[in-house]
Amino acid sequence: MIRVLVVDDSGFMRMALRRIIEAEGDLKVVGEAADGEAGVEQAAKLRPDVIAMDVEMPKLDGLEATRRIMALPDPPAVLMVSHHTRDGSATALAALDRGAVDYVCKDGDLGGVDLGMLDRELRPRLRHWAGQRAAVRPMARAAGPVRVVKAAGGCDVVVVGASTGGPDALAAFLAAAGRLPVPCVVAQHMPADLAPDLAHHLARLSGVPVGVGRAGPVLIPGEITVIPGGTDGHLARRAAGGEGGLTLRLASGPMAVHPSVDLLFQSAALVARRALGVVLTGMGRDGEQGARAMTERGMPVLAQSPASCVVAGMPGAVIESGLAVETADPAGLGRRVQALTRERVA
């Protein structure tokens, strides 16, 4: 049974969400809260698997409540359910920053609460994120020993994966890395239409050029390419035989989350001469298989230190599998990547 906490200041919405969530018998609402402050208290007391969280509430809004919940030991997944979390909205991006894993807008295309849409969308997403949370046991703050890369031996692309808490971690990483001598491609778990806002956010905070990926153009050194939300991206060569520049191809794969870090890293292992991988904060294990593929080709993968993560699942899985050659906070990883990419592939 998946245990759900509902946090919303509207009594009607709490009642409606309870009926929607419990309609098929495998999800149970174990508690309700009418403001963010009570939501944090209930999350600590009830230890739900997942939370359906409103944004605009008295005492404490849903964004700050989410940030505080993420600081709890083994925090639940938080799904924002609000009028304010439309695709591409600044609030949606802020929610991901604070640690939310996903969001659903209460309103339909014609305005007003769309209970039919919530009935279709909410249960599958709650199940999915509860499953992602259960897939990774809490990561130890002191991970096992990691190797330190003395020299990258040249690099022609940097690939980066992130999920929960990723926008701020990415901004810190990119600001510290500066303008790299190679292209950089980012897979940040996010719904469709959020990539332009994320690209603007990262460019503003990091001071480096960031754009949304398109299929076809050759990736340019010094530029950051964000894979569009809701789909997957993989690297390819413009010309056959391993020559020509790297390009991005877009197509949804079979993975449970998009854009998939595993697919991006696996493609880098196949077509790059020497890629460098970075796994940042996130819930679940996405990136572990891709990191393994890169490691088998002699391509180094760096991981964010668990203590600096909003949720340590993704980098923790890479560390525990012995695939991370170095760990650091996002800024430390950025400085290290800058150093490791200075020696270009001949």
Side-chain angles (χ1 to χ4, degrees):
M1 182 72 67
I2 296 172
R3 305 171 73 253
V4 183
L5 172 65
V6 174
V7 185
D8 197 298
D9 63 334
S10 164
F12 167 77
M13 280 306 303
R14 293 198 302 274
M15 177 188 68
L17 290 174
R18 176 183 284 273
R19 290 181 177 177
I20 288 170
I21 290 166
E22 295 184 338
E24 294 177 351
D26 62 327
L27 295 101
K28 180 176 178 57
V29 174
V30 295
E32 298 179 6
D35 61 71
E37 190 173 277
V40 176
E41 293 172 358
Q42 292 278 52
K45 177 182 177 181
L46 299 173
R47 299 176 63 86
D49 301 305
V50 63
I51 299 176
M53 176 79 74
D54 193 13
V55 171
E56 201 168 72
M57 293 181 291
K59 294 187 180 179
L60 193 70
D61 68 27
L63 298 179
E64 177 59 19
T66 298
R67 188 190 69 78
R68 295 187 188 184
I69 288 168
M70 287 300 105
L72 296 173
D74 192 19
V78 177
L79 178 75
M80 310 305 291
V81 184
S82 169
H83 297 290
H84 301 282
T85 45
R86 288 189 177 277
D87 282 344
S89 72
T91 303
L93 182 60
L96 296 182
D97 255 343
R98 303 307 194 280
V101 294
D102 202 350
Y103 55 81
V104 177
C105 184
K106 293 176 179 176
D107 297 343
D109 293 336
L110 300 178
V113 175
D114 187 342
L115 294 178
M117 179 275 296
L118 288 173
D119 188 58
R120 294 188 303 272
E121 294 282 335
L122 188 55
R123 288 189 302 275
R125 297 198 195 196
L126 292 172
R127 290 185 188 109
H128 168 76
W129 289 111
Q132 288 291 304
R133 176 179 179 269
V136 180
R137 59 188 179 277
M139 298 297 167
R141 289 303 187 190
V146 295
R147 306 180 303 282
V148 176
V149 178
K150 295 182 179 179
C155 172
D156 59 345
V157 66
V158 174
V159 287
V160 184
S163 184
T164 316
D168 274 356
L170 283 165
F173 167 78
L174 294 175
R179 192 150 187 168
L180 297 171
V182 298
C184 176
V185 181
V186 173
Q188 159 72 50
H189 294 168
M190 57 186 165
D193 301 328
L194 191 59
D197 253 21
L198 177 62
H200 176 75
H201 170 83
L202 295 178
R204 178 174 57 85
L205 294 180
S206 70
V208 298
V210 184
V212 179
R214 295 182 295 115
V218 172
L219 299 173
I220 299 173
E223 294 190 1
I224 313 301
T225 299
V226 175
I227 298 172
T231 190
D232 296 318
H234 61 274
L235 300 180
R237 283 280 175 195
R238 171 58 67 86
E243 300 301 324
L246 288 169
T247 66
L248 185 67
R249 293 181 179 171
L250 302 176
S252 291
M255 303 304 188
V257 289
H258 309 284
S260 167
V261 181
D262 277 329
L263 288 180
L264 174 62
F265 281 29
Q266 286 165 351
S267 70
L270 287 172
V271 303
R273 287 190 284 268
R274 187 172 175 85
L276 176 58
V278 180
V279 180
L280 299 176
T281 177
M283 185 173 290
R285 304 190 77 92
D286 189 24
E288 181 185 12
Q289 294 179 26
R292 190 176 304 281
M294 291 182 64
T295 300
E296 289 173 352
R297 288 280 320 278
M299 300 178 182
V301 177
L302 284 61
Q304 185 173 344
S305 55
S308 68
C309 292
V310 173
V311 177
M314 285 168 45
V318 172
I319 294 166
E320 285 196 343
S321 298
L323 302 171
V325 296
E326 294 188 33
T327 66
D329 64 18
L333 292 177
R335 290 188 292 270
R336 193 67 179 117
V337 166
Q338 173 60 246
L340 292 172
T341 55
R342 284 178 185 150
E343 182 184 350
R344 297 293 302 277
V345 176

